């Protein structure tokens, strides 16, 4: 105990608690023998431990029990999750910058199980054509545009779903004051169960 107390004031306080009869959970301990001796194997270890006392018949601490478990794999998994989260957040920022600033129209549609298409979001380029995304979010496309235009879109979306891969084509779109020709790409996205549940639409005005 004297050696442990000399290393860390917090640890010293925890050991005093153990001496008083409490069960004490120590902070996770990291150790790598390679850090101490360069010739030793490079094996990082994380240990989770607790200390409690065994009292004599008078109720005074007589011995201390030090119980520990190797949590190295758990720590590794936690770090991998943290790293993956950081990468995902960085990618989200990059994606959002592209999504918001490109001149191409970009939209994401949900594919329902009954093969209807619902607006998830679209970018500023499309807002300039049809208005604020807030007016369309969570609405079905067939509720937002004329039936003949929807059927034209639907055929391409279903082709993308059946092909289960990127498809590219040109299309003429006439809707309200819009009368344009677009070069369009459809990208299908699958969820964990393997069903295509999103379609990303990227359209460039080539009128």
């Amino acid at each position: 105990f004297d050696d442990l107390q000399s290393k860390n004031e917090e640890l010293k306080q925890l050991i005093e608690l153990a001496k008083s009869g409490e069960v004490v959970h120590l902070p996770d301990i990291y150790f790598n023998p390679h850090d101490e001796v360069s010739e030793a194997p490079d094996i990082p270890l994380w240990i989770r431990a607790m200390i409690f006392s065994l009292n004599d018949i008078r109720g005074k601490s007589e011995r201390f029990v030090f119980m520990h478990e190797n949590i190295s794999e758990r720590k590794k998994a936690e770090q991998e999750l943290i790293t993956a989260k950081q990468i995902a957040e960085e990618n989200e920022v990059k994606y959002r910058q592209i999504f918001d600033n490109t001149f191409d129209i970009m939209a994401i549609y949900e594919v329902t199980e009954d093969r209807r298409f619902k607006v998830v979001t679209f970018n500023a380029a499309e807002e300039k054509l049809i208005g604020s995304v807030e007016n369309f979010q969570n609405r079905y496309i067939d509720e937002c545009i004329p039936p003949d235009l929807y059927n034209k879109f639907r055929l391409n979306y279903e082709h993308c779903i059946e092909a289960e891969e990127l498809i590219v084509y040109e299309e003429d779109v006439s809707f309200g004051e819009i009368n344009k020709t677009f070069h369009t790409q459809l990208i299908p996205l699958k969820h964990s169960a393997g069903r295509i549940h999103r379609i990303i639409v990227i359209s460039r005005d080539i009128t």
Side-chain angles (χ1 to χ4, degrees):
F1 282 115
D2 292 337
D3 180 53
L4 288 173
Q5 288 176 358
S6 68
K7 292 183 178 179
N8 185 289
E9 185 63 30
E10 180 186 4
L11 201 54
K12 179 179 178 180
Q13 294 173 0
L14 292 172
I15 292 170
E16 289 300 324
L17 288 174
K19 287 181 177 180
S20 70
E22 293 191 29
V23 176
V24 174
H25 294 269
L26 299 178
D28 294 343
I29 301 167
Y30 173 81
F31 175 73
N32 188 338
H34 185 73
D35 296 340
E36 304 295 328
V37 181
S38 59
E39 293 80 9
D42 186 5
I43 306 175
L45 296 173
W46 280 95
I47 302 297
R48 182 162 293 171
M50 68 177 183
I51 300 173
F52 60 91
S53 64
L54 296 178
N55 299 336
D56 59 21
I57 58 175
R58 294 170 296 177
K60 292 185 178 181
S61 297
E62 181 180 36
R63 297 178 182 177
F64 291 89
V65 177
F66 180 81
M67 300 181 64
H68 63 86
E69 63 173 325
N70 186 338
I71 59 168
S72 301
E73 288 301 317
R74 190 184 311 171
K75 281 287 186 178
K76 180 181 177 182
E78 289 173 356
Q79 186 57 51
E80 288 174 349
L81 285 174
I82 292 170
T83 301
K85 183 174 183 293
Q86 290 172 340
I87 292 173
E89 289 173 350
E90 291 171 1
N91 288 341
E92 172 67 19
V93 170
K94 293 176 183 177
Y95 155 76
R96 178 52 63 179
Q97 290 174 341
I98 295 171
F99 189 83
D100 289 339
N101 296 302
T102 182
F103 291 106
D104 292 337
I105 289 172
M106 296 185 69
I108 302 175
Y109 299 138
E110 175 186 348
V111 182
T112 64
E113 292 192 3
D114 59 350
R115 287 284 182 93
R116 293 184 72 187
F117 304 97
K118 184 184 292 187
V119 178
V120 176
T121 189
F122 52 77
N123 67 350
E126 184 158 5
E127 285 188 312
K128 290 179 181 179
L129 284 178
I130 65 174
S132 172
V133 66
E134 294 180 358
N135 297 329
F136 297 89
Q137 274 181 321
N138 297 317
R139 293 178 61 190
Y140 290 103
I141 299 175
D142 56 46
E143 299 173 346
C144 303
I145 59 177
D148 57 337
L149 182 59
Y150 169 71
N151 286 331
K152 187 176 181 179
F153 288 168
R154 178 181 57 81
L155 290 174
N156 287 314
Y157 298 162
E158 289 184 349
H159 177 201
C160 177
I161 293 170
E162 295 299 329
E164 296 188 351
E165 62 182 11
L166 166 75
I167 67 168
V168 180
Y169 55 94
E170 291 184 7
E171 60 183 342
D172 296 317
V173 176
S174 296
F175 173 44
E177 298 180 359
I178 301 170
N179 188 16
K180 295 180 178 294
T181 300
F182 293 96
H183 178 273
T184 296
Q185 302 176 65
L186 301 182
I187 305 169
L189 299 180
K190 294 182 179 181
H191 58 33
S192 58
R195 184 179 74 83
I196 292 173
H197 72 129
R198 293 281 192 277
I199 290 179
I200 298 176
V201 181
I202 305 173
S203 294
R204 174 165 294 180
D205 185 357
I206 58 171
T207 305

